[in-house]
Amino acid sequence: MADEPLILGIETSCDETGVGIVRGHTLLADAVASSVAEHARFGGVVPEVASRAHLEAIVPTMRRALDDAGVTLADIDAIAVTAGPGLAGALLVGVAAAKGYALAAEKPVYGVNHLAAHVAVDTLEHGPLPEPAIALLVSGGHSSLLQVDDLATGVIPLGATIDDAAGEAFDKVARLLGLPFPGGPPIDREARAGDAGAIAFPRGLTAPKDLVAHRFDFSFSGLKTAVARWVEAKQRAGEPVPVADVAASFQEAVCDVLTRKAIDACRDRGIETMVIGGGVAANSRLRAMAEERAAKYGITVRVPRPKLCTDNGAMVAALGSHLVASGVAPSRLDLPADSAMPLTVVSV
């Protein structure tokens, strides 16, 4: 609707510089500049490199988004920006840019939570989010289960990883197998030609004793170590490593635990909608397994298209649009960047 506010979102929490523009639940522009190629030779994101890349990309990415949407900065009604969690230096670039644009154009600014934005982006694909809902957020830095009663005012954390995040495990296993960084897409591709039942890798925190204290928590460090030991044993024996089978078996273990616990949370809370977000949500096996298992219990699974799962400005704009529509007051212009922003804080 033309009378809905026009919201611009800025995302710089890690290695993507994103600027998105939305009107209500309609996506008008989603411009992204990624520095992932600059980090690939290090096998992971280097904070200083990411911060410098954001500095170089923020202005041209902003121009591209405005051009794509066919609007000017003066047309924007509010600016939303990821204020945390994320890499401190990277966050500061986005927050400083948002403040500068807000001051120049005399627009309100909303500092928002990166993880809540991963939930909100689904509204651009499937419309308003039924509340309550269970959100499974899986990325290189986070693996969390949340209960979303009202996205504008806060979420209830149910569980999180106690060591490695799912995406981090994908990256480390990919490196073991000689696959490129980031590890998610190449493992997904290799797994399609492999046997997911070839190797019985462990499922962390799923034993009865673990479910008492960590029912909705995740652990992928042990799985990563098990893969490493299995691969090393093959190499010591002078045998070839069946990359496709290892990738498929590892991926199956991760997706099994993620979906099992998310479905359990839905059933335990009597909630019929599950949203999956974050970069790992682009994994084809995770999407298929979640839908297959949820269907048995009448649970609806909502997953944005893969491009919206990874970090982008559209998700920040989507959350900003929801906050504006809900009447949430804008942030102060001295809003901080908080690299450890808790899940319970949606906006600052």
Side-chain angles (χ1 to χ4, degrees), residues 33-127:
S34 177
S35 62
V36 66
E38 298 177 47
H39 304 284
R41 66 191 178 98
F42 301 105
V45 177
V46 180
E48 292 81 2
V49 173
S51 300
R52 174 59 61 182
H54 288 309
L55 279 171
E56 295 172 351
I58 189 67
V59 172
T61 307
M62 172 68 77
R63 288 173 179 160
R64 183 151 53 94
L66 292 170
D67 289 345
D68 290 348
V71 299
T72 67
L73 188 61
D75 297 321
I76 299 297
D77 294 302
I79 296 172
V81 61
T82 296
L87 302 175
L91 289 168
L92 283 168
V93 176
V95 170
K99 291 177 180 179
Y101 284 117
L103 275 169
E106 297 183 333
K107 307 294 181 181
V109 63
Y110 288 79
V112 305
N113 189 301
H114 175 82
L115 300 177
H118 272 302
V119 179
V121 74
D122 181 75
T123 63
L124 301 179
E125 185 104 7
H126 301 113

Side-chain angles (χ1 to χ4, degrees), residues 7 16 47 62 86 99 199 231 245 266 327:
I7 310 299
E16 270 90 25
M62 172 68 77
K99 291 177 180 179
I199 309 162
V231 169
D245 286 348
C266 288

Side-chain angles (χ1 to χ4, degrees), residues 195-222:
D195 177 3
I199 309 162
F201 287 133
R203 270 67 168 162
L205 297 184
T206 57
K209 62 181 178 62
D210 295 321
L211 293 176
V212 175
H214 297 286
R215 182 175 180 182
F216 299 130
D217 291 325
F218 305 104
S219 171
F220 297 109
S221 180

Side-chain angles (χ1 to χ4, degrees), residues 295-330:
K296 295 179 183 178
Y297 301 104
I299 297 167
T300 300
V301 176
R302 294 172 41 140
V303 192
R305 58 184 179 271
K307 186 180 178 184
L308 292 180
C309 291
T310 52
D311 292 349
N312 58 79
M315 69 185 203
V316 179
L319 180 53
S321 180
H322 184 71
L323 295 174
V324 171
S326 300
V328 174

Side-chain angles (χ1 to χ4, degrees), residues 10 25 48 69 72 112 153 155 172 226 234 273:
I10 298 174
H25 299 305
E48 292 81 2
T72 67
V112 305
T153 58
V155 298
K172 291 177 177 178
K234 281 287 183 183
T273 301

Side-chain angles (χ1 to χ4, degrees), residues 173-180 183 186-196 198-199 201 227 230-231 234-235 239-251:
V173 168
R175 190 185 310 174
L176 280 170
L177 298 176
L179 299 174
I187 284 181
D188 197 352
R189 286 191 296 270
E190 288 287 340
R192 292 169 193 169
D195 177 3
I199 309 162
F201 287 133
V227 175
W230 195 94
V231 169
K234 281 287 183 183
Q235 293 171 335
E239 300 175 14
V241 175
V243 173
D245 286 348
V246 175
S249 300
F250 161 75
Q251 178 176 267

